[in-house]
Amino acid sequence: MGKVIAVTNQKGGVGKTTTAVNLSAALGERGRKVLLVDVDPQGNSTSGYGVNKRDLTASTYQMMVEGEAAEAVRVKTGFANVDLLPAGIELAAAEIEMVELKDRCYLMRNALLPLKSEYDYILIDCPPSLGLITINALAAADTILIPIQCEFYALEGLSQLMASVRQVKRLYNPRLEIEGVLLTMYDGRLNLTLQVVDEVKKFFPKKVFKTVIPRNVRLSEAPGFGMPVIYYDRPSRGAACYLELADEVMRAQAMV
């Protein structure tokens, strides 16, 4: 059964989608079968894999709100070992409609269950909020991966996120654990960066990945070409770091 990892942080601009796209690609390149689930209404993971949202006949909206089978929503990405459940703009209204549905906190878990045996990893790109879609992702996940940018407001809102995680664990998913905390936009030349790293390690003892993601132009450029960075510019530092992160995630899985 595939391990389900929710990539989540209610703060925007922390590298959440960048991580979902590039970690899934790196795991796929390492020979693991990966499903990326885009449930962020912005649909950036979808476009980050070169999928035109206007051409979609079904998306994760239909999967969660209308009961469409995940298999019918799934698309091939054209990149090694990675499939995608894409998001469309209609997902923005999903939370209002989901309130009325039976088992509204388990819609994603129930939808993904038939596909779990086909994949080594299922990554969920969550929206930058703590609404019903994110609760669905946390209820479906085995672990959460939290990207945190190395900037002044890095820890702002984390206590709220962890309170939500504890509540979901208590009410909906007692198995939920932290996969790890990923430091993004890292610049070791700055004192502020080093201070943030120290604070994050105090907040999440023994849960911070050794791999850090630097500020990297190629990481910013790759989505514009509809491809993960390891395919856009393999020799770049950003590509190397996401491959290192994939190795770290796989090593942790092997130890379980």
Side-chain angles (χ1 to χ4, degrees):
M1 296 290 277
K3 184 177 189 179
V4 183
I5 303 174
V7 183
T8 185
N9 189 329
Q10 82 272 22
K11 271 180 69 65
V14 300
K16 179 180 56 62
T17 295
T18 298
T19 295
V21 168
N22 290 297
L23 176 57
S24 58
L27 288 166
E29 196 274 347
R30 292 302 200 221
R32 302 305 189 269
K33 193 92 170 66
V34 184
L35 178 66
L36 177 58
V37 185
D38 191 354
V39 289
D40 185 340
Q42 297 173 88
N44 290 338
S45 278
T46 300
S47 54
Y49 265 103
V51 175
N52 190 331
K53 287 174 275 191
R54 290 191 293 266
D55 294 339
L56 295 174
T57 56
S59 71
T60 47
Y61 169 86
Q62 278 76 26
M63 182 184 80
M64 289 194 293
V65 176
E66 298 179 359
E68 187 81 60
E71 188 175 6
V73 175
R74 178 172 55 182
V75 297
K76 300 289 183 184
T77 66
F79 298 96
N81 297 314
V82 181
D83 294 336
L84 174 72
L85 296 180
I89 190 63
E90 68 272 22
L91 196 61
E95 292 196 343
I96 298 170
E97 300 175 58
M98 287 163 67
V99 169
E100 304 287 327
L101 299 178
K102 182 184 177 185
D103 293 332
R104 60 180 179 268
C105 294
Y106 296 112
L107 299 171
M108 196 180 308
R109 187 190 72 177
N110 295 341
L112 294 178
L113 196 58
L115 296 183
K116 283 189 73 172
S117 61
E118 297 183 32
Y119 295 95
D120 298 303
Y121 293 94
I122 298 176
L123 271 60
I124 306 173
D125 184 15
C126 299
S129 68
L130 293 174
L132 195 48
I133 290 176
T134 298
I135 290 172
N136 261 264
L138 297 181
D142 299 304
T143 62
I144 61 171
L145 190 158
I146 307 169
I148 296 178
Q149 83 280 36
C150 296
E151 295 180 353
F152 184 74
Y153 293 112
L155 297 177
E156 189 177 74
L158 276 182
S159 58
Q160 185 182 1
L161 172 63
M162 296 315 298
S164 296
V165 169
R166 286 191 294 272
Q167 187 172 21
V168 168
K169 187 168 182 171
R170 180 172 58 85
L171 296 175
Y172 309 115
N173 184 3
R175 301 174 295 102
L176 186 63
E177 301 292 344
I178 296 176
E179 180 75 23
V181 176
L182 179 67
L183 294 161
T184 65
M185 305 176 200
Y186 181 90
D187 186 344
R189 299 169 300 177
L190 302 178
N191 286 334
L192 175 60
T193 294
L194 303 178
Q195 290 168 12
V196 169
V197 170
D198 286 342
E199 288 297 315
V200 171
K201 286 181 176 178
K202 288 176 189 172
F203 199 93
F204 294 101
K206 300 181 181 178
K207 286 295 184 181
V208 180
F209 286 110
K210 291 183 175 67
T211 305
V212 297
I213 307 301
R215 290 189 178 277
N216 183 259
V217 172
R218 293 296 188 250
L219 280 174
S220 302
E221 291 175 347
F225 292 85
M227 59 179 70
V229 71
I230 64 170
Y231 295 98
Y232 175 66
D233 188 355
R234 173 83 179 216
S236 68
R237 184 64 186 139
C241 288
Y242 274 108
L243 287 166
E244 288 171 16
L245 178 64
D247 291 340
E248 198 171 344
V249 168
M250 289 187 297
R251 281 196 301 271
Q253 177 76 347
M255 292 169 63
V256 174

